[in-house]
Every structure is written in structure tokens, then in C-alpha cells.
Amino acid sequence: MNHPIGMRTDLDEVRARILEVAEEQFRRIGHHKTSMADIASDLGMSRANVYRFFPSRDAINGFICKRMLNEAADIAFAIARTNATAPEKLIRLFIAVHHHGKATLIEQKHMHDMIVAVMQENWSIVKTHIDRMVTIFEAIIREGIEAGELEVKDPAEAARAVKTAFMPFFHPLLIEHCVQHGEDTEASLREQIRFILKALGKPD
């Protein structure tokens, strides 16, 4: 049954409000300590009403996680659209995305923990995010090839390889591991960037 436009808008607003309140709770006390009853209470709704919009707390986690992951992809996309050279775009992208992930870990630990949990439990969310990032890498590499700034034969294959090489500075759990063990991620990232650009055939 199709809902009238006005009703659909109202339902979308309620759904958005549920996610907003849930995210506030997650940021304050963590997703593991937040129940559907807590979310419903803050909204002044019954749990049954919240369940009308989201079948479980895990579903809410997934929506919020996708929004958080999209922040990193949006950063990458914005850099890809600048007028810089392809190598410079890649350098800026790697640094900005890594800093975003590390800042989430340090400044928003509860949200970082939620992202890690969802990424371990819901592969479809992870795959969609990684596919989007690889598409951005590929677009930049293609531009670099056309401009004579990079020298690889297959930009799609190169983009997948770049994703693998960048993963230690991109995956939340791997970033957390490095930080916990006191590793200098900035120095390691600079070394990896030099390796990636060399592999892409960037002229000296």
C-alpha cells in the first residue's frame, strides 16, 4: 500500500528522529549499553512504535554506521573533485581519510566501537563502503593516466591494489591496533603513500 506524499514525509521525519536520538545515546554511553527501551523513552514513544520503523537495535546500528562511513567516502569524493594532479589527490585523500578514522577512534570512541562491531557483523555495509572508495580511487587513477601523471595499464586493477595497500590506515580495527601499540601511523602512512605512488608509475 502506497502512502500519500505527506504521510511518507512524516514517516521519514520520525525515522530520522529515531536515528538522531539513537546516535545521541550511542555517543554518550555506547551502542552496547543503549536499548530500544532507552531510545523509545527519549522519544516519548513506545518500544512497539520504534519497532515499526526499525526491526531491531542492530538495524539502527547499521543505518548509523553507514552514515559514519559515508563521512569518509564524502571526504574522499570531495578531494577527487578538486583541480589537483592525480598523485596530489591520492596523497590528500589517504591523509584525510586516515586522519578522519583516527580522530573518530580518539575523539568518538563509542562511535568507533559501534563501527567496528557493525563492520564485523554486516559484510554488506562494509562491501558497499569499500566498493565506493575503490570507485573513487579508480577515477583518480584514470585521470592520472590520461594526464600522463601515472603509468599503469589497468586502472580498475590498480584501484583494488591501492585499496589493499591502504587498508591498514583505513580499517577502523587496524587503526585501533596501531594506536594501541604506539605505532607512528603518520610516518608509516607517508612510507606507504610513497610505495603506492611508485607502484602507480608516478614520474620522479
Side-chain angles (χ1 to χ4, degrees):
M1 179 180 178
N2 293 326
H3 295 295
I5 294 296
M7 184 179 296
R8 285 206 304 270
T9 301
D10 290 344
L11 293 175
D12 288 342
E13 288 176 356
V14 174
R15 189 174 290 106
R17 179 61 181 151
I18 291 171
L19 290 173
E20 180 184 342
V21 167
E23 185 170 334
E24 289 171 359
Q25 291 262 9
F26 291 176
R27 289 181 183 277
R28 189 169 67 252
I29 63 174
H31 73 290
H32 282 307
K33 295 181 179 178
T34 301
S35 67
M36 291 294 263
D38 295 328
I39 296 168
S41 177
D42 270 15
L43 287 162
M45 296 169 59
S46 67
R47 276 187 298 175
N49 209 12
V50 175
Y51 279 117
R52 287 179 53 213
F53 295 90
F54 297 97
S56 66
R57 211 277 315 274
D58 285 346
I60 292 176
N61 294 358
F63 273 90
I64 295 174
C65 180
K66 281 190 284 187
R67 187 157 67 193
M68 295 288 292
L69 293 176
N70 282 340
E71 290 179 6
D74 289 343
I75 289 170
F77 184 65
I79 292 171
R81 296 183 66 188
T82 63
N83 292 323
T85 65
E88 185 60 33
K89 286 180 183 181
L90 290 172
I91 292 169
R92 292 178 185 173
L93 187 159
F94 296 145
I95 292 172
V97 170
H98 175 64
H99 284 175
H100 178 270
K102 195 157 73 168
T104 302
L105 166 64
I106 296 169
E107 300 167 11
Q108 305 178 55
K109 185 60 166 59
H110 286 317
M111 300 308 289
H112 168 87
D113 290 344
M114 182 209 67
I115 292 170
V116 168
V118 173
M119 290 182 78
Q120 290 176 324
E121 296 166 4
N122 193 326
W123 174 243
S124 65
I125 290 176
V126 181
K127 186 176 186 306
T128 297
H129 177 55
I130 291 176
D131 287 349
R132 185 180 177 195
M133 294 295 290
V134 170
T135 298
I136 294 171
F137 295 160
E138 183 179 345
I140 295 174
I141 292 168
R142 285 185 185 278
E143 287 178 8
I145 294 169
E146 291 170 4
E149 298 160 351
L150 302 174
E151 296 178 2
V152 289
K153 292 183 178 179
D154 187 336
E157 180 182 64
R160 292 192 295 272
V162 166
K163 175 262 295 183
T164 301
F166 183 50
M167 193 60 71
F169 308 95
F170 171 55
H171 193 292
L173 194 56
L174 297 177
I175 294 174
E176 181 178 357
H177 176 82
C178 291
V179 170
Q180 285 180 342
H181 288 80
E183 295 184 23
D184 185 349
T185 61
E186 303 299 321
S188 297
L189 177 59
R190 286 193 295 271
E191 291 175 358
Q192 194 72 333
I193 288 173
R194 286 194 292 271
F195 171 79
I196 290 171
L197 293 180
K198 186 175 182 180
L200 292 173
K202 177 184 179 294
D204 293 329

